[in-house]
Amino acid sequence: MSKMASLCLNSLPLPPSSQSQPKKLVETSLFSSVSYNSTNGLVKGGGESLKPIVISGNPPTYVSAPGRRIVAVGDLHGDLEQTRCALEMAGVLSNDGQDLWVGGETVLVQLGDILDRGEDEIAILSLLRSLDIQAKSQGGAVFQVNGNHETMNVEGDFRYVDPGSFDECSDFLEYSDEYQDDWEEAFVNWIGVSSRWKENQKSTQNYWGPWNIVKRQKGVIARSILMRPGGKLACELARHSIVLKINDWVFCHGGLLPHHVEYGIDRINREVSLWMRGLNETDDGPRIPFLATRGYDSVVWNRLYSRDSSELEDYQVEQINSILEETLQAVDARAMVVGHTPQMEGVNCKYNCNIWRIDVGMSSGVLNSMPEVLEIRDNKARVIKSKSSAYSELQAADYT
């Protein structure tokens, strides 16, 4: 690791911003070996456009993004303010409050756990979808992988849901009904109207506020309708992967193991997606993909690579390193990026930098830590973090 370098926000090598935000965003499918480029989007100044991004799998499993800058953001847990801060630091979101993509041909990857512990979950999902549509017009892309809190909610496990998020579900369900069959427009536009609905919801609260049992039951019912397999939000989550390989890097929430690769990461993605969409039903209901979503060593729950090495014996470190190397070799990857386990020391890498842990607990519902993001260029990674609460100055650590 090279020495730390201090950089002010304006001096970061960020792509140019877009000129305007489209009034209505329209998206086309990008699944099953699809490619796209920026020729139909904004005109870039100087130089030739990069080769098109090619996506294989439904949901995406393998992504070829030649020459792209990749930025990865960890667990967000319903905190919209911190999400915006992280995306601004990553150089992909405008800082004028207009929620514009300014990342050009950058590829953004979010590592899951958008749900639970915060009250703006749907707003964050809507923001990321909006940014993805904008990014594609410029030759970039936004990808998400599902975490354990996404799979828990589709299972109906609402133990970690913030009270305000039940309210958001009620508001969103009512709002989306106004669009009738135009779900896409309703979902993409939610980020632009959610704050107004939240203010209206607060202004109509009665004296009992959060103790209103009927109101809370309404929120639980709304969430159940939206999140159950086949529900609108469950189907939205079904668009995203459990495991995603972009160029030579693998991204997942908890951690990939050799037996996951042997089972097939495209198969894992497909089975979880089908379950979330409610399409693989049996007599007892949708079958939950155990290997991906259940158990301590499932893809979304695995913490093997995120354990504090200071608490491990030497032989344990060697074993974990061996498992990691075997996994990367099996999937033909250079390194793995995971979230799931908050890192008290911030974004870091271990085991010869073959594993990157990027969950910093930034949500106010977790640790309320300063956001940090991982940037990958030409197979070299660095951490971008703020030096002050004002986010006016950033610090970058380069790794070879």
Side-chain angles (χ1 to χ4, degrees):
M1 180 171 61
S2 65
K3 63 181 181 180
M4 302 291 289
S6 295
L7 300 171
C8 70
L9 182 59
N10 292 331
S11 68
L12 281 175
L14 305 181
S17 62
S18 58
Q19 300 300 312
S20 62
Q21 185 178 27
K23 183 176 181 181
K24 181 176 179 180
L25 299 172
V26 180
E27 183 178 22
T28 57
S29 173
L30 287 174
F31 293 143
S32 302
S33 297
V34 183
S35 65
Y36 62 91
N37 56 36
S38 59
T39 56
N40 295 322
L42 300 176
V43 178
K44 297 176 198 44
E48 297 181 357
S49 296
L50 297 172
K51 292 182 179 179
I53 293 174
V54 178
I55 302 172
S56 300
N58 184 8
T61 299
Y62 302 101
V63 177
S64 173
R68 269 29 176 226
R69 169 182 182 256
I70 301 172
V71 287
V73 178
D75 305 32
L76 301 174
H77 282 299
D79 193 324
L80 182 58
E81 181 179 356
Q82 291 283 67
T83 296
R84 285 194 169 112
C85 288
L87 297 181
E88 288 175 21
M89 289 173 59
V92 298
L93 180 69
S94 63
N95 60 5
D96 57 4
Q98 298 300 306
D99 292 331
L100 299 176
W101 174 264
V102 296
E105 294 177 313
T106 296
V107 171
L108 168 67
V109 188
Q110 198 283 320
L111 269 291
D113 276 11
I114 290 172
L115 302 185
D116 292 338
R117 306 187 191 278
E119 61 179 19
D120 289 304
E121 307 161 312
I122 307 175
I124 295 173
L125 290 169
S126 173
L127 173 62
L128 291 175
R129 172 76 89 88
S130 173
L131 291 176
D132 184 35
I133 297 171
Q134 296 177 62
K136 287 168 182 172
S137 73
Q138 301 180 39
V142 177
F143 295 99
Q144 298 167 237
V145 299
N146 287 317
N148 60 302
H149 283 268
E150 279 72 43
T151 61
M152 288 166 64
N153 273 269
V154 177
E155 289 184 52
D157 185 346
F158 300 160
R159 286 176 294 167
Y160 300 98
V161 178
D162 184 272
S165 195
F166 283 120
D167 296 336
E168 186 188 30
C169 286
S170 296
D171 290 344
F172 178 76
L173 191 60
E174 180 181 349
Y175 154 83
S176 60
D177 284 344
E178 298 177 0
Y179 284 77
Q180 297 181 349
D181 296 329
D182 199 344
W183 160 262
E184 296 293 325
E185 183 177 357
F187 184 72
V188 172
N189 290 343
W190 177 246
I191 182 59
V193 302
S194 60
S195 59
R196 185 176 73 248
W197 275 73
K198 184 183 292 186
E199 288 302 316
N200 291 340
Q201 189 270 338
K202 288 180 179 179
S203 66
T204 57
Q205 282 184 344
N206 63 23
Y207 174 79
W208 294 104
W211 297 102
N212 187 319
I213 297 177
V214 175
K215 176 171 170 290
R216 183 52 41 81
Q217 287 178 334
K218 180 182 177 182
V220 173
I221 293 171
R223 193 175 188 87
S224 298
I225 292 172
L226 292 167
M227 292 290 185
R228 68 190 177 194
K232 292 293 188 180
L233 282 183
C235 288
E236 179 63 27
L237 296 176
R239 299 176 66 254
H240 308 307
S241 313
I242 294 294
V243 183
L244 182 67
K245 185 185 177 190
I246 304 178
N247 298 339
D248 296 326
W249 294 71
V250 175
F251 301 86
C252 58
H253 182 68
L256 196 65
L257 298 171
H259 68 279
H260 299 147
V261 182
E262 183 179 0
Y263 186 80
I265 60 177
D266 52 347
R267 181 180 175 186
I268 287 174
N269 287 339
R270 185 171 59 253
E271 289 182 354
V272 173
S273 181
L274 288 172
W275 163 61
M276 288 182 166
R277 291 157 59 195
L279 297 180
N280 61 335
E281 295 194 9
T282 64
D283 293 338
D284 298 323
R287 179 168 53 87
I288 300 174
F290 190 93
L291 192 69
T293 67
R294 291 283 191 92
Y296 72 93
D297 65 346
S298 62
V299 181
V300 300
W301 284 99
N302 179 25
R303 299 185 193 272
L304 181 67
Y305 306 130
S306 298
R307 298 174 63 183
D308 187 346
S309 57
S310 65
E311 300 176 356
L312 301 174
E313 301 290 341
D314 289 343
Y315 77 93
Q316 293 176 308
V317 172
E318 293 178 2
Q319 287 178 339
I320 295 173
N321 187 51
S322 177
I323 292 172
L324 177 58
E325 289 182 349
E326 180 182 350
T327 304
L328 293 175
Q329 183 176 4
V331 77
D332 191 23
R334 177 188 184 94
M336 188 185 306
V337 184
V338 299
H340 190 41
T341 305
Q343 302 295 305
M344 306 303 291
E345 60 182 297
V347 173
N348 64 85
C349 67
K350 297 295 180 182
Y351 305 108
N352 300 315
C353 277
N354 286 332
I355 188 76
W356 284 86
R357 295 98 67 93
I358 69 169
D359 176 15
V360 295
M362 71 178 78
S363 169
S364 59
V366 185
L367 298 177
N368 200 30
S369 300
M370 298 295 291
E372 298 183 19
V373 300
L374 180 69
E375 179 189 68
I376 302 168
R377 287 179 181 265
D378 300 323
N379 273 331
K380 294 182 179 180
R382 69 172 186 168
V383 183
I384 300 176
K385 62 181 70 177
S386 174
K387 293 179 63 179
S388 67
S389 59
Y391 301 98
S392 61
E393 196 166 352
L394 300 182
Q395 191 176 64
D398 291 322
Y399 294 80
T400 59

